[in-house]
Amino acid sequence: MQTNPTYSSLVAVGDSFTEGMSDLLPDGSYRGWADLLAGRMAARTPGFRYANLAVRGKLIRQIVDEQVEVAAAMQADVITLVGGLNDTLRPKCDMVRVRALLTEAVERLAPSCKQLVLMRSPGRQGPVLERFRPRMEELFAHVDELAARHGAVVVDLYGAPSLSDPRLWDVDRLHLSAEGHRRVAEAVWQTLGYDPEDTEWRTPMPATLPPGWTSRRVADARFARQYLLPWIGRRLTRRSSGDGRPAKRPGLLPYEDTVE
């Protein structure tokens, strides 16, 4: 990887992680690591262009069908692809199919850009991670294989101690906080070959006293009411939080025209 490269365009492909949930802005929209990364890259390259095709809740089949061809046609310098994790969290998940679809996406995107970026997604400490860890690690092993085969780079967020800390995750326990997204942007920035702006992004936050029993039970009840039960309801009715939602930034446009 060259040092301080010059890239003139970025296209981000994926689900809620790439859309930017839960890095909430005052106007109710989401920012996220991809927007932060685009801002940094634009500051170095006049006329920099950026598109973000990500939509929350998308499975890898939907990403392939709805985003991959659009992204490939844009012929961007850099494309980021993160997908498949939503599939691994489903009770019934065909990992053979997930791997095949991810392969299809990489084989289409890698020749269409100068640099394809893949990721080993972060995992929050807790029972959800432990339950689905084997599927996640199978997915990440395949990501590593695809990267080696197609000249992509891999950002290892799963292996970063800081990003497993529950304090870097939103109250929904599924999406990173603003600080979590900032650290992901730094990780991708460095993986692309730029000089570090934060050499300690992997370093865990300072230890603090854990919340008391009552605080934990209140937080658990809030989580179940506001997030877990609606999530289960969508699974039972085969709905997604991204149904009918357009891509975040569907056009590859100058950064200053699309991001405030």
Side-chain angles (χ1 to χ4, degrees):
M1 182 64 61
Q2 60 180 311
T3 302
N4 288 321
T6 300
Y7 293 120
S8 63
S9 53
L10 167 69
V11 175
V13 173
D15 52 32
S16 60
F17 174 68
T18 301
E19 184 184 343
M21 296 174 71
S22 291
D23 185 6
L24 191 64
L25 295 173
D27 65 0
S29 64
Y30 292 106
R31 182 176 53 180
W33 66 265
D35 286 8
L36 293 169
L37 176 66
R40 289 193 188 184
M41 297 172 76
R44 288 178 174 261
T45 307
F48 184 84
R49 296 176 299 152
Y50 170 52
N52 190 325
L53 306 181
V55 178
R56 65 194 69 172
K58 293 300 182 182
L59 302 174
I60 188 62
R61 172 81 270 174
Q62 295 169 307
I63 291 172
V64 170
D65 289 346
E66 300 167 13
Q67 299 179 33
V68 166
E69 287 300 324
V70 177
M74 290 178 173
Q75 296 288 301
D77 284 353
V78 177
I79 296 178
T80 65
L81 168 64
V82 187
L85 199 61
N86 282 336
D87 297 78
T88 68
L89 299 178
R90 297 294 178 100
K92 296 181 180 179
C93 174
D94 182 349
M95 287 303 298
V96 173
R97 182 171 179 268
V98 171
R99 292 196 307 271
L101 288 166
L102 188 60
T103 299
E104 180 181 343
V106 170
E107 289 178 345
R108 182 67 186 92
L109 292 174
S112 73
C113 63
K114 291 183 179 178
Q115 185 60 67
L116 179 63
V117 178
L118 306 177
M119 296 189 200
R120 294 161 56 91
S121 303
R124 181 185 184 277
Q125 292 174 1
V128 173
L129 175 63
E130 293 310 313
R131 178 180 179 185
F132 297 106
R133 186 186 295 275
R135 289 180 185 173
M136 293 170 62
E137 293 186 347
E138 180 180 346
L139 177 68
F140 299 156
H142 191 57
V143 165
D144 291 341
E145 294 169 3
L146 289 171
R149 197 183 312 157
H150 295 279
V153 294
V154 178
V155 185
D156 185 14
L157 306 173
Y158 183 68
S162 62
L163 292 176
S164 65
D165 189 327
R167 291 173 295 174
L168 288 182
W169 293 72
D170 187 47
V171 293
D172 68 0
R173 305 181 184 181
L174 287 174
H175 301 107
L176 290 169
S177 66
E179 173 61 14
H181 280 283
R182 185 197 67 79
R183 293 187 184 222
V184 172
E186 178 67 32
V188 183
W189 174 259
Q190 292 183 26
T191 301
L192 284 171
Y194 294 102
D195 287 339
E197 295 187 9
D198 175 10
T199 58
E200 302 297 324
W201 73 267
R202 288 177 172 270
T203 302
M205 297 173 64
T208 58
L209 290 175
W213 185 91
T214 301
S215 296
R216 295 199 304 271
R217 297 296 78 78
V218 170
D220 288 345
R222 178 188 177 193
F223 164 70
R225 182 178 66 255
Q226 295 186 4
Y227 301 104
L228 180 59
L229 292 178
W231 184 84
I232 292 173
R234 289 195 298 270
R235 299 293 79 76
L236 293 175
T237 56
R238 298 183 181 275
R239 292 179 293 116
S240 168
S241 57
D243 288 348
R245 187 175 294 273
K248 183 177 184 179
R249 293 190 173 91
L252 185 59
L253 300 174
Y255 175 83
E256 59 271 19
D257 289 349
T258 57
V259 180
E260 295 182 359

